[in-house]
Amino acid sequence: MRILLLLPFFGLLWVPFYNQATPELFGFPFFYWYQLLWVPVTAALTWIAFRATRNEGDE
């Protein structure tokens, strides 16, 4: 499950993928809303990884 924590890095480190203005969402260029979309996605992935691994040391 810890591999989930790498998804935000791969999604945000390859800048040429999202370095464009279209498509727009509510008037915001793709460049901005794509990055902001990763904030809740990263929080959810961190929570999932935490829940899946928090009891590993108890065994």
Side-chain angles (χ1 to χ4, degrees):
M1 281 308 219
R2 292 179 182 153
I3 197 81
L4 290 175
L5 299 176
L6 293 176
L7 290 175
F9 289 108
F10 291 125
L12 291 169
L13 285 180
W14 190 41
V15 177
F17 173 72
Y18 61 90
N19 189 17
Q20 55 193 357
T22 57
E24 290 185 358
L25 181 66
F26 304 116
F28 291 100
F30 181 71
F31 181 79
Y32 292 113
W33 68 260
Y34 178 79
Q35 292 179 62
L36 290 175
L37 179 67
W38 275 101
V39 173
V41 169
T42 302
L45 291 173
T46 303
W47 180 78
I48 291 168
F50 169 73
R51 297 284 292 181
T53 60
R54 70 177 172 170
N55 292 330
E56 283 185 357
D58 294 341
E59 297 174 0

